[in-house]
Coordinates of all heavy atoms in Angstrom, one line a residue:
M161 N 85.8 127.4 155.3 CA 86.6 127.7 154.3 C 86.4 126.9 153.1 O 86.3 125.6 153.2 CB 88.1 127.6 154.7 CG 89.0 128.0 153.7 SD 90.7 127.9 154.3 CE 91.3 129.4 154.0
E162 N 86.2 127.5 151.9 CA 85.9 126.7 150.7 C 87.2 126.2 150.1 O 88.2 126.9 150.1 CB 85.1 127.6 149.7 CG 83.7 127.9 150.1 CD 83.0 128.7 149.0 OE1 83.4 128.6 147.9 OE2 82.1 129.4 149.4
K163 N 87.1 125.0 149.5 CA 88.2 124.5 148.8 C 88.3 125.0 147.4 O 87.3 125.0 146.7 CB 88.1 123.0 148.8 CG 89.3 122.3 148.3 CD 89.1 120.8 148.3 CE 90.4 120.1 147.8 NZ 90.2 118.7 147.8
Q164 N 89.5 125.6 147.1 CA 89.6 126.1 145.7 C 90.0 125.1 144.7 O 90.7 124.2 145.1 CB 90.7 127.2 145.7 CG 90.3 128.5 146.2 CD 91.4 129.6 145.9 OE1 92.5 129.2 145.8 NE2 91.0 130.8 145.8
S165 N 89.4 125.2 143.6 CA 89.7 124.2 142.5 C 91.1 124.5 142.0 O 91.6 125.7 142.1 CB 88.7 124.2 141.4 OG 88.7 125.4 140.7
S166 N 91.7 123.6 141.4 CA 93.1 123.8 140.9 C 93.1 124.7 139.7 O 94.1 125.4 139.4 CB 93.7 122.4 140.5 OG 93.0 121.8 139.5
F167 N 92.0 124.8 139.0 CA 91.9 125.7 137.8 C 90.8 126.8 138.1 O 89.7 126.5 138.3 CB 91.5 124.9 136.5 CG 92.6 124.0 136.1 CD1 92.4 122.6 136.2 CD2 93.7 124.5 135.5 CE1 93.4 121.8 135.7 CE2 94.7 123.7 135.1 CZ 94.6 122.3 135.1
T168 N 91.3 128.0 138.2 CA 90.4 129.1 138.4 C 90.0 129.7 137.0 O 90.5 129.3 136.0 CB 91.0 130.2 139.2 OG1 92.1 130.7 138.5 CG2 91.5 129.7 140.5
S169 N 89.0 130.5 137.0 CA 88.5 131.1 135.7 C 89.6 131.9 135.1 O 89.8 131.9 133.9 CB 87.3 132.0 135.9 OG 87.6 133.1 136.8
K170 N 90.5 132.5 135.9 CA 91.7 133.3 135.3 C 92.6 132.3 134.6 O 93.2 132.6 133.5 CB 92.4 134.1 136.3 CG 91.7 135.3 136.8 CD 92.5 136.0 137.8 CE 91.7 137.3 138.3 NZ 92.5 138.1 139.2
S171 N 92.9 131.1 135.2 CA 93.8 130.2 134.6 C 93.2 129.6 133.3 O 93.9 129.4 132.3 CB 94.2 129.1 135.5 OG 93.1 128.3 135.9
W172 N 91.9 129.4 133.3 CA 91.2 128.9 132.1 C 91.3 129.9 130.9 O 91.6 129.6 129.8 CB 89.8 128.5 132.3 CG 89.6 127.2 133.0 CD1 89.1 127.0 134.2 CD2 89.8 125.9 132.4 NE1 89.1 125.7 134.5 CE2 89.5 125.0 133.4 CE3 90.3 125.5 131.2 CZ2 89.6 123.6 133.2 CZ3 90.4 124.1 131.0 CH2 90.1 123.2 132.0
R173 N 91.2 131.2 131.3 CA 91.3 132.3 130.3 C 92.7 132.3 129.8 O 92.9 132.5 128.6 CB 90.9 133.6 131.0 CG 89.9 134.3 130.2 CD 89.5 135.6 130.8 NE 88.4 135.4 131.8 CZ 88.3 135.9 133.0 NH1 89.2 136.8 133.4 NH2 87.3 135.7 133.7
W174 N 93.7 132.1 130.7 CA 95.1 132.2 130.2 C 95.4 131.0 129.3 O 96.0 131.2 128.2 CB 96.0 132.1 131.5 CG 97.4 132.2 131.1 CD1 98.1 133.4 130.8 CD2 98.4 131.2 130.9 NE1 99.4 133.1 130.5 CE2 99.6 131.8 130.5 CE3 98.3 129.8 131.0 CZ2 100.7 131.0 130.3 CZ3 99.4 129.1 130.7 CH2 100.6 129.7 130.4
Y175 N 94.9 129.8 129.6 CA 95.1 128.7 128.8 C 94.4 128.8 127.4 O 94.9 128.5 126.4 CB 94.6 127.4 129.4 CG 95.6 126.9 130.5 CD1 95.1 126.7 131.8 CD2 96.9 126.5 130.2 CE1 95.9 126.2 132.8 CE2 97.7 126.1 131.2 CZ 97.2 125.9 132.5 OH 98.1 125.5 133.5
G176 N 93.2 129.4 127.4 CA 92.5 129.7 126.2 C 93.3 130.7 125.3 O 93.3 130.5 124.1
K177 N 93.9 131.7 125.9 CA 94.7 132.7 125.2 C 95.9 132.0 124.6 O 96.3 132.3 123.4 CB 95.1 133.9 126.0 CG 93.9 134.8 126.4 CD 94.4 135.9 127.2 CE 93.3 136.9 127.6 NZ 93.8 137.9 128.5
V178 N 96.5 131.2 125.3 CA 97.7 130.5 124.8 C 97.4 129.6 123.7 O 98.0 129.6 122.6 CB 98.4 129.7 126.0 CG1 99.5 128.8 125.4 CG2 99.0 130.6 127.0
I179 N 96.3 128.8 123.8 CA 95.9 127.9 122.8 C 95.5 128.7 121.5 O 95.8 128.3 120.4 CB 94.8 126.9 123.3 CG1 95.4 126.0 124.3 CG2 94.2 126.2 122.1 CD1 94.4 125.1 125.0
G180 N 94.7 129.7 121.7 CA 94.3 130.6 120.6 C 95.4 131.2 119.9 O 95.5 131.3 118.7
G181 N 96.4 131.7 120.7 CA 97.6 132.3 120.1 C 98.4 131.3 119.3 O 98.9 131.6 118.2
V182 N 98.6 130.0 119.8 CA 99.3 129.0 119.0 C 98.5 128.7 117.7 O 99.1 128.6 116.7 CB 99.4 127.7 119.9 CG1 99.9 126.6 119.0 CG2 100.4 128.1 121.0
L183 N 97.2 128.5 117.8 CA 96.4 128.2 116.6 C 96.5 129.4 115.6 O 96.6 129.2 114.4 CB 95.0 127.9 117.0 CG 94.7 126.6 117.7 CD1 93.3 126.5 118.1 CD2 95.1 125.4 116.8
L184 N 96.4 130.6 116.1 CA 96.5 131.7 115.2 C 97.9 131.9 114.5 O 97.9 132.1 113.3 CB 96.1 133.0 116.0 CG 96.0 134.3 115.2 CD1 94.8 134.2 114.2 CD2 95.8 135.5 116.1
G185 N 98.9 131.6 115.3 CA 100.2 131.7 114.8 C 100.5 130.6 113.7 O 101.0 130.8 112.7
W186 N 100.0 129.4 114.0 CA 100.1 128.3 113.1 C 99.4 128.5 111.8 O 99.9 128.3 110.7 CB 99.7 127.0 113.7 CG 99.7 125.8 112.9 CD1 100.9 125.0 112.7 CD2 98.7 125.3 112.0 NE1 100.6 124.0 111.8 CE2 99.2 124.1 111.4 CE3 97.4 125.6 111.8 CZ2 98.5 123.4 110.5 CZ3 96.6 124.9 110.9 CH2 97.2 123.8 110.2
S187 N 98.2 129.1 112.0 CA 97.4 129.4 110.8 C 98.1 130.5 109.9 O 98.1 130.4 108.7 CB 96.0 129.9 111.2 OG 95.3 128.9 111.9
F188 N 98.7 131.5 110.6 CA 99.4 132.5 109.8 C 100.5 132.0 109.1 O 100.7 132.2 107.8 CB 99.9 133.6 110.8 CG 100.8 134.6 110.2 CD1 100.3 135.6 109.4 CD2 102.2 134.5 110.4 CE1 101.1 136.5 108.8 CE2 103.0 135.4 109.8 CZ 102.5 136.4 109.0
W189 N 101.4 131.1 109.7 CA 102.5 130.6 108.9 C 102.1 129.6 107.9 O 102.7 129.5 106.8 CB 103.5 129.9 109.9 CG 104.3 130.9 110.7 CD1 104.1 131.1 112.0 CD2 105.2 131.8 110.2 NE1 105.0 132.2 112.4 CE2 105.7 132.6 111.3 CE3 105.8 132.0 108.9 CZ2 106.7 133.5 111.1 CZ3 106.8 133.0 108.8 CH2 107.2 133.7 109.9
F190 N 101.1 128.8 108.1 CA 100.5 127.9 107.1 C 100.1 128.7 105.9 O 100.4 128.3 104.7 CB 99.4 127.1 107.7 CG 98.9 126.0 106.8 CD1 99.6 124.9 106.5 CD2 97.6 126.2 106.2 CE1 99.2 123.9 105.6 CE2 97.1 125.2 105.3 CZ 97.9 124.1 105.1
C191 N 99.3 129.7 106.1 CA 98.8 130.6 104.9 C 99.9 131.3 104.2 O 99.9 131.4 103.0 CB 97.8 131.6 105.4 SG 96.2 130.8 106.0
L192 N 101.0 131.7 105.0 CA 102.1 132.3 104.4 C 102.8 131.4 103.5 O 103.3 131.7 102.4 CB 103.0 132.9 105.5 CG 104.3 133.6 105.0 CD1 103.8 134.9 104.3 CD2 105.2 134.0 106.1
L193 N 103.0 130.1 103.9 CA 103.7 129.1 103.1 C 102.9 128.8 101.8 O 103.5 128.7 100.8 CB 103.9 127.8 103.9 CG 105.0 127.9 105.0 CD1 105.0 126.6 105.8 CD2 106.4 128.1 104.3
I194 N 101.6 128.7 101.9 CA 100.8 128.5 100.8 C 100.9 129.7 99.8 O 101.1 129.5 98.6 CB 99.4 128.2 101.1 CG1 99.3 126.9 101.8 CG2 98.5 128.3 99.9 CD1 97.9 126.6 102.4
F195 N 100.9 130.9 100.3 CA 101.0 132.1 99.5 C 102.4 132.2 98.8 O 102.5 132.5 97.6 CB 100.8 133.3 100.4 CG 100.7 134.6 99.6 CD1 99.7 134.9 98.7 CD2 101.7 135.5 99.7 CE1 99.6 136.0 98.0 CE2 101.7 136.7 99.0 CZ 100.6 136.9 98.2
L196 N 103.5 131.8 99.5 CA 104.8 131.8 98.9 C 104.9 130.8 97.8 O 105.8 131.0 96.9 CB 105.8 131.5 100.0 CG 106.1 132.6 101.0 CD1 107.1 132.2 102.0 CD2 106.7 133.8 100.2
M197 N 104.1 129.7 97.8 CA 104.2 128.7 96.7 C 103.8 129.3 95.4 O 103.9 128.6 94.4 CB 103.5 127.5 97.1 CG 104.2 126.7 98.1 SD 103.4 125.1 98.4 CE 104.2 124.5 99.8
L198 N 103.2 130.5 95.3 CA 102.9 131.1 94.1 C 104.2 131.4 93.3 O 104.2 131.4 92.0 CB 102.1 132.4 94.3 CG 100.7 132.2 94.7 CD1 100.1 133.6 95.1 CD2 99.8 131.6 93.6
W199 N 105.3 131.7 94.0 CA 106.5 132.1 93.3 C 107.7 131.1 93.5 O 108.6 131.1 92.7 CB 106.9 133.5 93.9 CG 105.9 134.5 93.6 CD1 105.7 135.2 92.4 CD2 105.0 135.1 94.6 NE1 104.7 136.0 92.6 CE2 104.2 136.1 93.9 CE3 104.8 134.9 95.9 CZ2 103.3 136.8 94.5 CZ3 103.8 135.7 96.5 CH2 103.1 136.6 95.8
V200 N 107.6 130.3 94.6 CA 108.7 129.4 94.9 C 108.3 128.0 94.6 O 107.3 127.5 95.2 CB 109.1 129.6 96.4 CG1 110.3 128.6 96.7 CG2 109.6 131.0 96.7
N201 N 108.9 127.3 93.7 CA 108.7 125.9 93.4 C 109.4 125.1 94.5 O 110.6 125.1 94.6 CB 109.2 125.6 92.1 CG 108.7 124.2 91.6 OD1 107.8 123.7 92.2 ND2 109.3 123.7 90.6
P202 N 108.6 124.3 95.3 CA 109.2 123.5 96.3 C 110.1 122.4 95.7 O 109.8 121.8 94.7 CB 108.1 122.8 97.1 CG 106.9 123.0 96.2 CD 107.2 124.1 95.2
P203 N 111.3 122.2 96.3 CA 112.3 121.2 95.7 C 111.8 119.7 95.9 O 112.2 118.9 95.2 CB 113.5 121.4 96.5 CG 113.1 122.1 97.7 CD 111.9 122.8 97.4
F204 N 110.9 119.5 96.8 CA 110.4 118.1 97.0 C 109.0 118.2 97.6 O 108.6 119.2 98.2 CB 111.3 117.3 97.9 CG 111.6 117.9 99.2 CD1 110.8 117.7 100.3 CD2 112.7 118.7 99.4 CE1 111.0 118.3 101.5 CE2 113.0 119.3 100.6 CZ 112.1 119.1 101.7
T205 N 108.3 117.1 97.5 CA 106.9 117.1 98.1 C 106.9 115.8 99.0 O 107.8 115.0 99.0 CB 105.8 117.0 97.0 OG1 106.0 115.8 96.3 CG2 105.9 118.2 96.1
A206 N 105.8 115.6 99.7 CA 105.6 114.5 100.5 C 105.6 113.2 99.7 O 106.0 112.2 100.0 CB 104.3 114.6 101.4
F207 N 105.0 113.3 98.4 CA 104.9 112.2 97.6 C 106.3 111.8 97.1 O 106.6 110.6 96.9 CB 104.0 112.5 96.4 CG 102.6 112.7 96.8 CD1 102.0 114.0 96.7 CD2 101.8 111.7 97.3 CE1 100.7 114.2 97.1 CE2 100.5 111.9 97.7 CZ 100.0 113.1 97.6
T208 N 107.2 112.7 96.7 CA 108.5 112.4 96.2 C 109.3 111.8 97.3 O 110.2 111.0 97.1 CB 109.2 113.6 95.6 OG1 109.3 114.6 96.6 CG2 108.5 114.1 94.4
L209 N 109.1 112.2 98.6 CA 109.8 111.6 99.7 C 109.4 110.2 100.0 O 110.2 109.4 100.5 CB 109.6 112.5 101.0 CG 110.3 113.8 100.9 CD1 109.9 114.6 102.2 CD2 111.8 113.8 100.7
Q210 N 108.2 109.8 99.6 CA 107.8 108.4 99.8 C 108.2 107.5 98.8 O 108.1 106.2 99.0 CB 106.2 108.4 100.0 CG 105.7 109.1 101.2 CD 104.2 109.1 101.2 OE1 103.5 108.8 100.3 NE2 103.6 109.5 102.4
E211 N 108.6 107.9 97.6 CA 109.0 107.0 96.5 C 110.3 106.2 96.9 O 111.1 106.7 97.6 CB 109.2 107.9 95.2 CG 108.0 108.5 94.7 CD 107.1 107.4 94.1 OE1 107.5 106.4 93.6 OE2 105.9 107.7 94.0
N212 N 110.3 105.0 96.3 CA 111.5 104.2 96.5 C 112.3 104.5 95.2 O 112.1 103.9 94.2 CB 111.1 102.7 96.5 CG 112.2 101.8 96.8 OD1 113.4 102.3 96.8 ND2 112.0 100.6 97.0
W213 N 113.3 105.3 95.4 CA 114.1 105.8 94.2 C 114.9 104.7 93.5 O 115.1 104.7 92.3 CB 115.0 106.9 94.6 CG 114.2 108.1 95.0 CD1 113.9 108.6 96.2 CD2 113.5 109.0 94.1 NE1 113.1 109.7 96.2 CE2 112.8 110.0 94.9 CE3 113.4 109.1 92.7 CZ2 112.1 111.0 94.3 CZ3 112.7 110.1 92.2 CH2 112.0 111.1 93.0
E214 N 115.3 103.7 94.3 CA 116.1 102.6 93.7 C 115.1 101.8 92.8 O 115.5 101.4 91.7 CB 116.6 101.7 94.7 CG 117.7 102.4 95.5 CD 118.2 101.5 96.7 OE1 117.8 100.3 96.8 OE2 119.0 102.0 97.5
E215 N 113.9 101.6 93.2 CA 113.0 100.8 92.4 C 112.5 101.6 91.2 O 112.2 101.1 90.1 CB 111.7 100.4 93.2 CG 110.8 99.4 92.5 CD 109.7 98.9 93.4 OE1 109.9 98.8 94.6 OE2 108.6 98.7 92.9
L216 N 112.4 103.0 91.3 CA 112.1 103.8 90.2 C 113.2 103.8 89.1 O 112.9 104.0 87.9 CB 111.8 105.2 90.6 CG 110.5 105.5 91.3 CD1 110.4 106.9 91.7 CD2 109.4 105.2 90.4
G217 N 114.4 103.5 89.5 CA 115.5 103.5 88.5 C 115.4 102.3 87.6 O 115.8 102.3 86.5
K218 N 114.7 101.2 88.1 CA 114.5 100.1 87.2 C 113.4 100.4 86.2 O 112.5 101.3 86.5 CB 114.1 98.8 88.1 CG 115.1 98.4 89.0 CD 114.6 97.3 89.9 CE 115.5 97.0 91.0 NZ 114.9 96.0 92.0
E219 N 113.3 99.7 85.1 CA 112.2 99.9 84.2 C 111.0 99.2 84.6 O 110.8 98.0 84.3 CB 112.6 99.5 82.8 CG 111.7 99.9 81.7 CD 112.2 99.7 80.4 OE1 113.4 99.5 80.2 OE2 111.4 99.7 79.4
R220 N 110.1 99.8 85.4 CA 108.9 99.2 85.9 C 107.8 99.2 84.8 O 107.0 98.3 84.7 CB 108.4 99.9 87.1 CG 109.3 99.8 88.3 CD 108.6 100.2 89.5 NE 107.9 101.5 89.4 CZ 107.4 102.2 90.4 NH1 107.4 101.6 91.6 NH2 106.8 103.3 90.2
Y221 N 107.7 100.3 84.1 CA 106.6 100.5 83.2 C 107.1 100.4 81.8 O 108.0 101.2 81.4 CB 105.9 101.8 83.4 CG 105.4 102.0 84.8 CD1 106.1 102.8 85.7 CD2 104.4 101.3 85.3 CE1 105.6 102.9 87.0 CE2 103.9 101.4 86.6 CZ 104.6 102.2 87.5 OH 104.1 102.3 88.7
N222 N 106.7 99.5 81.0 CA 107.1 99.4 79.6 C 105.8 99.6 78.8 O 105.0 98.7 78.7 CB 107.7 98.0 79.3 CG 108.4 98.1 77.9 OD1 108.1 99.0 77.2 ND2 109.2 97.1 77.7
L223 N 105.6 100.7 78.3 CA 104.4 101.1 77.6 C 104.2 100.3 76.3 O 103.1 100.0 75.8 CB 104.3 102.6 77.3 CG 104.2 103.5 78.4 CD1 104.3 104.9 78.0 CD2 103.0 103.2 79.3
R224 N 105.2 99.8 75.7 CA 105.2 99.1 74.5 C 104.5 97.7 74.7 O 103.9 97.2 73.8 CB 106.6 98.9 73.9 CG 107.1 100.2 73.5 CD 108.4 100.2 72.9 NE 108.8 101.6 72.7 CZ 110.0 102.0 72.4 NH1 110.9 101.2 72.1 NH2 110.2 103.3 72.2
E225 N 104.6 97.2 75.9 CA 104.0 95.9 76.1 C 102.5 96.0 76.5 O 101.8 95.0 76.5 CB 104.7 95.2 77.3 CG 106.2 94.8 76.9 CD 106.8 94.2 78.1 OE1 106.2 94.0 79.2 OE2 108.0 93.8 77.9
S226 N 102.1 97.2 76.8 CA 100.7 97.3 77.2 C 99.7 98.0 76.2 O 98.6 98.2 76.5 CB 100.6 98.1 78.5 OG 101.1 99.4 78.3
W227 N 100.2 98.3 75.0 CA 99.4 98.9 74.0 C 98.3 97.8 73.5 O 98.6 96.7 73.3 CB 100.2 99.3 72.7 CG 100.9 100.6 73.0 CD1 102.2 100.7 73.2 CD2 100.4 101.9 73.1 NE1 102.6 102.0 73.4 CE2 101.4 102.8 73.3 CE3 99.1 102.4 73.0 CZ2 101.3 104.2 73.5 CZ3 98.9 103.8 73.1 CH2 100.0 104.6 73.4
V228 N 97.1 98.3 73.3 CA 96.0 97.5 72.9 C 95.4 98.2 71.6 O 95.2 99.4 71.6 CB 94.9 97.4 73.9 CG1 93.7 96.6 73.5 CG2 95.5 96.8 75.2
P229 N 95.2 97.4 70.6 CA 94.6 98.0 69.3 C 93.3 98.6 69.6 O 92.5 98.2 70.5 CB 94.5 96.8 68.4 CG 95.4 95.7 68.9 CD 95.5 95.9 70.4
D230 N 92.9 99.6 68.8 CA 91.7 100.3 69.0 C 90.5 99.4 68.9 O 89.5 99.6 69.6 CB 91.6 101.4 67.9 CG 90.4 102.3 68.0 OD1 90.0 102.5 69.2 OD2 89.9 102.8 67.0
E231 N 90.5 98.4 68.0 CA 89.4 97.5 67.9 C 89.1 96.7 69.1 O 88.0 96.2 69.3 CB 89.6 96.6 66.6 CG 89.8 97.3 65.3 CD 91.2 97.9 65.2 OE1 92.2 97.3 65.7 OE2 91.4 98.9 64.4
Q232 N 90.1 96.5 69.9 CA 89.9 95.6 71.1 C 89.3 96.4 72.3 O 88.9 95.8 73.3 CB 91.2 95.0 71.5 CG 91.7 93.9 70.5 CD 92.9 93.2 71.0 OE1 93.4 93.5 72.1 NE2 93.5 92.4 70.2
L233 N 89.3 97.7 72.2 CA 88.8 98.6 73.3 C 87.3 98.6 73.2 O 86.8 98.8 72.2 CB 89.4 100.0 73.3 CG 90.9 100.1 73.5 CD1 91.4 101.5 73.3 CD2 91.3 99.6 74.9
P234 N 86.6 98.6 74.4 CA 85.2 98.7 74.3 C 84.8 100.2 74.0 O 85.5 101.1 74.3 CB 84.7 98.4 75.8 CG 86.0 98.1 76.5 CD 87.1 98.2 75.7
N235 N 83.6 100.3 73.3 CA 83.2 101.6 72.9 C 83.0 102.6 74.1 O 83.2 103.8 73.9 CB 81.9 101.5 72.1 CG 82.2 101.0 70.7 OD1 83.3 101.2 70.2 ND2 81.2 100.4 70.1
H236 N 82.5 102.1 75.2 CA 82.2 103.0 76.3 C 83.5 103.6 76.9 O 83.6 104.7 77.4 CB 81.4 102.3 77.4 CG 82.1 101.2 78.1 ND1 82.1 99.9 77.5 CD2 82.8 101.1 79.2 CE1 82.8 99.1 78.4 NE2 83.2 99.8 79.4
L237 N 84.6 102.8 76.8 CA 85.9 103.3 77.2 C 86.4 104.4 76.3 O 86.9 105.4 76.7 CB 86.9 102.2 77.3 CG 88.4 102.5 77.7 CD1 88.4 103.1 79.1 CD2 89.3 101.4 77.6
K238 N 86.2 104.2 75.0 CA 86.7 105.2 74.0 C 85.9 106.5 74.3 O 86.5 107.6 74.3 CB 86.4 104.8 72.6 CG 87.2 103.6 72.2 CD 86.8 103.1 70.8 CE 87.3 101.8 70.5 NZ 86.8 101.3 69.2
L239 N 84.6 106.4 74.5 CA 83.7 107.6 74.8 C 84.2 108.3 76.1 O 84.1 109.5 76.2 CB 82.3 107.2 74.7 CG 81.7 106.9 73.4 CD1 80.3 106.4 73.5 CD2 81.7 108.1 72.5
A240 N 84.5 107.5 77.1 CA 84.9 108.1 78.4 C 86.2 108.8 78.2 O 86.3 109.9 78.8 CB 85.1 107.0 79.4
V241 N 87.1 108.4 77.4 CA 88.4 109.1 77.2 C 88.1 110.4 76.4 O 88.7 111.4 76.8 CB 89.4 108.2 76.5 CG1 90.6 109.0 76.1 CG2 89.8 107.0 77.4
I242 N 87.3 110.3 75.4 CA 87.0 111.5 74.7 C 86.2 112.5 75.5 O 86.5 113.7 75.5 CB 86.1 111.1 73.4 CG1 87.0 110.3 72.4 CG2 85.6 112.4 72.7 CD1 86.3 109.8 71.3
A243 N 85.3 112.0 76.3 CA 84.5 112.9 77.2 C 85.4 113.6 78.3 O 85.1 114.7 78.7 CB 83.4 112.1 77.9
S244 N 86.5 113.0 78.6 CA 87.3 113.6 79.6 C 88.0 114.8 79.1 O 88.3 115.7 79.8 CB 88.4 112.6 80.2 OG 89.3 112.3 79.1
E245 N 88.2 114.9 77.8 CA 88.7 116.0 77.1 C 87.7 117.0 76.6 O 87.7 118.2 76.9 CB 89.7 115.6 76.0 CG 91.1 115.2 76.4 CD 91.8 116.3 77.0 OE1 91.8 117.4 76.5 OE2 92.5 116.1 78.1
D246 N 86.8 116.4 75.7 CA 85.8 117.3 75.1 C 84.6 116.4 74.8 O 84.6 115.5 73.9 CB 86.4 117.8 73.8 CG 85.4 118.8 73.1 OD1 84.3 119.0 73.6 OD2 85.7 119.2 72.0
Q247 N 83.6 116.6 75.6 CA 82.4 115.7 75.5 C 81.7 115.8 74.2 O 81.0 114.8 73.8 CB 81.4 116.0 76.7 CG 80.4 114.9 76.9 CD 79.6 115.2 78.2 OE1 79.9 116.1 78.9 NE2 78.8 114.2 78.5
R248 N 81.8 116.9 73.5 CA 81.1 117.1 72.2 C 82.0 116.9 71.0 O 81.8 117.4 70.0 CB 80.5 118.4 72.2 CG 79.4 118.6 73.2 CD 78.7 119.9 73.1 NE 77.8 120.0 74.3 CZ 76.9 121.0 74.3 NH1 76.9 122.0 73.4 NH2 76.1 121.1 75.3
F249 N 83.1 116.1 71.2 CA 84.1 116.0 70.2 C 83.5 115.4 68.9 O 83.8 115.9 67.8 CB 85.2 115.0 70.7 CG 86.3 114.7 69.7 CD1 87.2 115.6 69.4 CD2 86.3 113.5 69.0 CE1 88.2 115.4 68.5 CE2 87.2 113.2 68.1 CZ 88.2 114.1 67.8
R250 N 82.7 114.4 69.0 CA 82.1 113.8 67.8 C 81.1 114.7 67.1 O 80.7 114.5 66.0 CB 81.5 112.5 68.1 CG 82.6 111.5 68.6 CD 82.0 110.1 68.7 NE 83.1 109.2 69.1 CZ 83.1 107.9 68.9 NH1 82.1 107.4 68.2 NH2 84.1 107.2 69.3
E251 N 80.6 115.8 67.7 CA 79.7 116.7 67.2 C 80.3 117.9 66.4 O 79.6 118.6 65.8 CB 78.7 117.2 68.2 CG 77.9 116.1 68.9 CD 77.1 116.6 70.1 OE1 77.1 117.8 70.3 OE2 76.5 115.8 70.8
H252 N 81.6 118.0 66.6 CA 82.3 119.1 66.0 C 82.3 119.0 64.5 O 82.3 117.9 63.9 CB 83.7 119.3 66.5 CG 83.9 119.6 67.9 ND1 83.1 120.6 68.5 CD2 84.7 119.2 68.9 CE1 83.4 120.8 69.8 NE2 84.4 119.9 70.0
W253 N 82.4 120.1 63.8 CA 82.5 120.1 62.3 C 83.9 119.6 62.0 O 84.9 120.0 62.6 CB 82.3 121.5 61.7 CG 80.9 121.9 61.8 CD1 80.4 122.7 62.8 CD2 79.8 121.6 61.0 NE1 79.0 122.9 62.7 CE2 78.7 122.2 61.5 CE3 79.6 120.8 59.9 CZ2 77.4 122.1 60.9 CZ3 78.4 120.7 59.3 CH2 77.3 121.3 59.9
A254 N 84.0 118.8 61.0 CA 85.3 118.3 60.5 C 86.1 119.3 59.8 O 85.8 120.3 59.4 CB 85.2 117.1 59.6

């Protein structure tokens, strides 16, 4: 008498169907949620949940203290900022 293994080909097929069904169902709901975001604005995101709201209430960023005159900025930085918007900005007619 041959010893049967604990997993037969039928049980492997059944587990494959269950796993495939779960993956297919998860994919369907995931795509549906992404599609719904065309019309529904989510009230929060993962990034907003990670923020420390008490610390954000304090004035962390004061832009007035970080302004630098144009003359102190390197030319390659000025060109990089311009290129991020319009690379041919300096070639346009005035």
Side-chain angles (χ1 to χ4, degrees):
M161 180 180 236
E162 289 183 26
K163 186 178 180 182
Q164 278 190 334
S165 65
S166 60
F167 291 108
T168 62
S169 63
K170 286 184 181 181
S171 64
W172 280 112
R173 231 180 273 139
W174 184 82
Y175 285 122
K177 287 180 182 180
V178 169
I179 291 171
V182 168
L183 289 175
L184 188 63
W186 180 83
S187 299
F188 170 76
W189 286 110
F190 184 73
C191 291
L192 182 66
L193 285 174
I194 290 174
F195 186 70
L196 285 176
M197 285 186 192
L198 288 170
W199 299 285
V200 178
N201 188 15
F204 56 86
T205 65
F207 296 110
T208 58
L209 291 177
Q210 290 177 350
E211 290 291 332
N212 185 354
W213 292 100
E214 292 174 5
E215 191 173 326
L216 283 177
K218 301 175 188 173
E219 191 172 342
R220 293 192 311 184
Y221 304 106
N222 191 348
L223 295 177
R224 295 180 185 173
E225 294 178 359
S226 63
W227 284 105
V228 177
D230 184 34
E231 298 81 27
Q232 291 182 4
L233 293 174
N235 285 334
H236 65 276
L237 178 64
K238 294 176 196 176
L239 290 174
V241 171
I242 291 172
S244 69
E245 278 297 317
D246 183 3
Q247 193 168 5
R248 297 183 182 189
F249 177 77
R250 294 191 179 205
E251 298 172 8
H252 293 318
W253 292 95

